[in-house]
Amino acid sequence: MKLLGAALLIFSGLLWGLSRSAELRRRVELLTDLLRLVRLLSTEIAYSARPLPELLQRSPSRFCQMAAERPSFESDPRAALREAGEELLGDPGDRAMFRDFAAGLGASGAQGQLEHLELCGALAEARLGEAREACREKQRLYIALGLFGGLTVCLVAV
């Protein structure tokens, strides 16, 4: 019974480390998706005359897909997009950046929106670089910390 308990403690520590590592990778994926969305919207706004709801519905972005599924999307697509970003993004800085991004969509003319998207793209690139660096540095650390934490608890408990 002690052996089974020890194995479960070690395994739970390892799972904690793997889940923290997955959170880091997910942040990188979401910021990459956001950067793609900013570039797509920049291109579409510059070269097409489609309304914002149609642009968001046609986008393959997770943010847009989640926003399009919300009942409030038809009446206020920016609010639906902001809510989707709040739900998907875990980092408070990423959420604040996304809130500003969503608030500026459709709020001005085409040139104003392009300037806003250029600024948001630069901010997203900076945050993406930061997230990639954190993922590279901390991914193995979290896994090892979880494994050794579970092992330590196991040794102390036995």
Side-chain angles (χ1 to χ4, degrees):
M1 197 58 131
K2 284 185 180 183
L3 187 60
L4 179 62
L8 287 175
L9 285 173
I10 293 170
F11 187 66
S12 66
L14 180 63
L15 283 179
W16 176 84
L18 289 171
S19 71
R20 294 290 300 178
S21 176
E23 287 175 19
L24 292 172
R25 284 192 309 274
R26 185 170 188 264
R27 180 176 180 224
V28 169
E29 290 170 3
L30 287 171
L31 288 173
T32 302
D33 190 32
L34 174 60
L35 193 55
R36 272 192 230 117
L37 174 61
V38 167
R39 290 178 179 156
L40 173 84
L41 289 175
S42 294
T43 304
E44 288 290 332
I45 289 171
Y47 297 109
S48 74
R50 292 190 177 113
L52 182 63
E54 184 181 334
L55 291 176
L56 296 178
Q57 283 178 330
R58 294 172 55 118
S59 172
S61 169
R62 281 185 254 182
F63 298 104
C64 294
Q65 291 172 355
M66 184 178 274
E69 293 171 358
R70 296 187 178 280
S72 63
F73 181 78
E74 293 298 322
S75 61
D76 192 0
R78 287 188 301 171
L81 186 63
R82 186 184 67 243
E83 291 168 7
E86 292 281 334
E87 192 174 318
L88 285 171
L89 295 168
D91 184 82
D94 295 345
R95 285 181 176 173
M97 179 194 57
F98 194 85
R99 255 184 263 123
D100 294 341
F101 161 71
L105 289 177
S108 62
Q111 187 59 37
Q113 287 185 61
L114 290 173
E115 291 170 3
H116 173 71
L117 289 171
E118 184 178 334
L119 174 64
C120 289
L123 291 173
E125 279 186 45
R127 294 199 68 84
L128 178 59
E130 172 190 308
R132 282 183 176 147
E133 185 67 22
C135 186
R136 188 182 60 77
E137 289 177 357
K138 296 178 182 176
Q139 192 170 14
R140 284 180 269 152
L141 173 72
Y142 279 135
I143 294 170
L145 184 64
L147 181 63
F148 292 129
L151 187 59
T152 303
V153 171
C154 175
L155 291 174
V156 169
V158 172

